[in-house]
Amino acid sequence: MLRRLATLALVSGVALSATAAQNIKIGVFLPMSGDQSSFGDETMSGVKMAVEEINAGKDFKIELFTQDEKSNPTDSANAVKKLINVDKVDVVVGTVASSNTNAAAPIAQAAKVPLMSPTSTNVKVTDVGEYVSRICFIDDFQGSAMAKFALKPKAEGGLGAKTAVLVIDSSSEYSKGLSAAFREVFTKNGGKIDNDGEIFYVQKDRDFSSLLTKIKRKKPDVVFAPGYYTEIGNMIRQAHTFGITAKFLGGDGWSAPQLFTLAGEKAIVGHYFSDHFSHEDTDPAVQDFVKRYRAKYGKDAPGMAALGYDSIRVVIDAAKRAGKVERTALMKAINSTKGFKGVTGVITLDAKRNANKPLVILETQKDRATFKTRVNP
Ligand code: PHE
């Protein structure tokens, strides 16, 4: 066989590879409909870009299976069951909202199929076992970075805040965990949050007047509101009509163009949130990605697209190191990812299968977020 290949190569005058590309089935579940569909669209745009690039090469042929998790935990669990039992994928990538990943992760763990989340930051996501990993930082880091940024004196580039109110989405593990992380660091470093300084809402709420009445009365320096863009966009618009002047702060859940359209340009300017990536990053590898993304999609790459892109590339890097496409070998190789140069930073998975990476703090302008500062772990 080898001899024949060699002969063929000689005859045709082109270098023929003795080994064919390896097939790998990747199942991706994301919110393609529902209140988080912006997250699904953006992550998928990065996933597709990576798949096309890899399939254009000679090492791997990715067969992509996709499922809509419809922005809820039940459909997330069903999506992963289908990918594993019907499509028989080798590895699962997804999803965005931590509560949804938490609902699906035990299924992958029980079936011994590696599941990697590009974007779920809740601390508990990877607790379910060794088959579950992620390539993003966790909420302890995000909450701590935003608390320190709020407390830092204005002269040093922070907000000089002394008091805060927490606005928490009680239907989201992400929101609860992230506000707890913020609270701990803010109060430990001299900030004050009153006993009644935690105010709750749930997803799908659209009228925030009672919550905003409380905030108006309490007059905090900052409002930490780690929710998702649909509720937060509406909340910030209403806060403006209430005459609330406190800065709103949030986490990566704000990261969507709809934040700006829902809040409107009068209300949205001058707030801050943490994110995984900024297209303004001057790193040449980031700029190369931003340029190619722009050529393909006609817009600046959002953070989630960058994470979707990196997640597929990390899986393929692991498959290369594993030397075979087999679930347990893939899991082990994914978990030993070290120093992978992604567009969202250098990715090394720690003992808990989390990535320690820098974050960026972005400032909201009328219709987009701009780079404010970078925070290293
Ligand atoms: N980190 C969020 C969560 O765990 C999801 C998210 C990631 C949202 C990135 C926006 C951008 O629920």
Side-chain angles (χ1 to χ4, degrees):
M1 180 64 188
L2 267 178
R3 226 159 104 192
R4 215 176 124 213
L5 275 175
T7 322
L8 270 174
L10 212 71
V11 169
S12 65
V14 291
L16 280 187
S17 157
T19 49
Q22 285 192 75
N23 288 317
I24 181 166
K25 289 182 173 190
I26 303 184
V28 175
F29 72 117
L30 288 170
M32 304 311 295
S33 62
D35 281 348
Q36 295 152 10
S37 61
S38 168
F39 294 161
D41 289 343
E42 291 186 344
T43 310
M44 193 61 95
S45 69
V47 163
K48 288 206 165 130
M49 201 169 139
V51 169
E52 281 168 23
E53 286 175 19
I54 289 158
N55 283 351
K58 58 179 174 27
D59 295 341
F60 284 89
K61 168 87 186 66
I62 299 173
E63 201 182 339
L64 191 64
F65 295 84
T66 57
Q67 282 291 318
D68 178 8
E69 49 90 314
K70 303 182 186 156
S71 303
N72 75 72
T74 310
D75 286 298
S76 296
N78 289 336
V80 166
K81 277 185 199 149
K82 171 133 197 307
L83 291 170
I84 292 174
N85 299 330
V86 180
D87 301 324
K88 309 245 185 286
V89 299
D90 300 304
V91 44
V92 176
V93 170
T95 183
V96 183
S98 292
S99 296
N100 299 348
T101 303
N102 285 342
I107 294 160
Q109 175 66 33
K112 294 193 164 48
V113 178
L115 180 151
M116 173 195 283
S117 172
T119 50
S120 289
T121 47
N122 179 255
V123 175
K124 286 175 269 182
V125 167
T126 55
D127 285 351
V128 49
E130 61 185 350
Y131 280 84
V132 180
S133 64
R134 66 180 129 207
I135 56 151
C136 54
F137 52 67
I138 61 174
D139 287 334
D140 281 356
F141 175 52
Q142 210 175 177
S144 148
M146 290 312 282
K148 288 179 184 160
F149 172 68
L151 288 167
K152 196 188 255 186
K154 280 190 179 154
E156 293 168 30
L159 301 176
K162 305 230 164 354
T163 56
V165 162
L166 306 177
V167 174
I168 304 164
D169 170 357
S170 60
S171 49
S172 152
E173 296 291 327
Y174 158 76
S175 191
K176 290 189 279 190
L178 185 45
S179 42
F182 179 93
R183 168 190 271 282
E184 195 189 322
V185 175
F186 191 76
T187 52
K188 208 169 71 194
N189 291 283
K192 192 161 164 23
I193 299 173
D194 291 341
N195 286 338
D196 62 346
E198 284 193 350
I199 315 178
F200 295 89
Y201 67 97
V202 291
Q203 269 159 57
K204 305 226 187 294
D205 280 358
R206 291 294 179 267
D207 178 356
F208 297 100
S209 28
S210 72
L211 174 160
L212 293 167
T213 306
K214 265 196 182 169
I215 295 177
K216 189 158 184 182
R217 202 179 54 229
K218 292 190 76 64
K219 292 198 179 53
D221 296 331
V222 293
V223 178
F224 187 61
Y228 295 128
Y229 64 88
T230 306
E231 286 78 25
I232 299 298
N234 281 294
M235 192 186 295
I236 290 180
R237 177 170 46 76
Q238 294 167 30
H240 186 256
T241 62
F242 265 73
I244 292 170
T245 52
K247 301 259 178 230
F248 276 70
L249 308 179
D252 54 355
W254 285 27
S255 185
Q258 289 88 333
L259 178 79
F260 301 87
T261 49
L262 289 168
E265 61 175 52
K266 284 208 205 84
I268 196 60
V269 176
H271 306 290
Y272 298 92
F273 65 98
S274 46
D275 207 345
H276 302 263
F277 169 88
S278 165
H279 66 267
E280 296 171 295
D281 191 326
T282 53
D283 181 294
V286 173
Q287 281 312 312
D288 175 58
F289 169 73
V290 167
K291 207 169 118 198
R292 287 182 292 117
Y293 188 92
R294 179 165 268 293
K296 187 167 166 59
Y297 295 108
K299 57 180 180 191
D300 288 324
M304 260 169 300
L307 285 167
Y309 182 78
D310 278 351
S311 64
I312 299 295
R313 293 179 63 234
V314 168
V315 166
I316 295 302
D317 174 70
K320 261 182 214 158
R321 284 184 284 108
K324 57 182 170 187
V325 176
E326 186 274 318
R327 290 160 164 185
T328 301
L330 282 173
M331 174 274 283
K332 288 189 177 146
I334 288 170
N335 294 352
S336 54
T337 297
K338 269 186 197 60
F340 180 87
K341 181 96 179 56
V343 292
T344 58
V346 175
I347 298 170
T348 294
L349 296 199
D350 65 17
K352 288 185 163 168
R353 303 170 300 284
N354 301 322
N356 291 312
K357 292 153 80 185
L359 59 71
V360 291
I361 296 178
L362 303 179
E363 178 174 356
T364 53
Q365 311 294 343
K366 280 182 183 174
D367 57 356
R368 74 209 149 91
T370 51
F371 178 81
K372 172 80 177 164
T373 185
R374 172 181 308 281
V375 182
N376 290 314

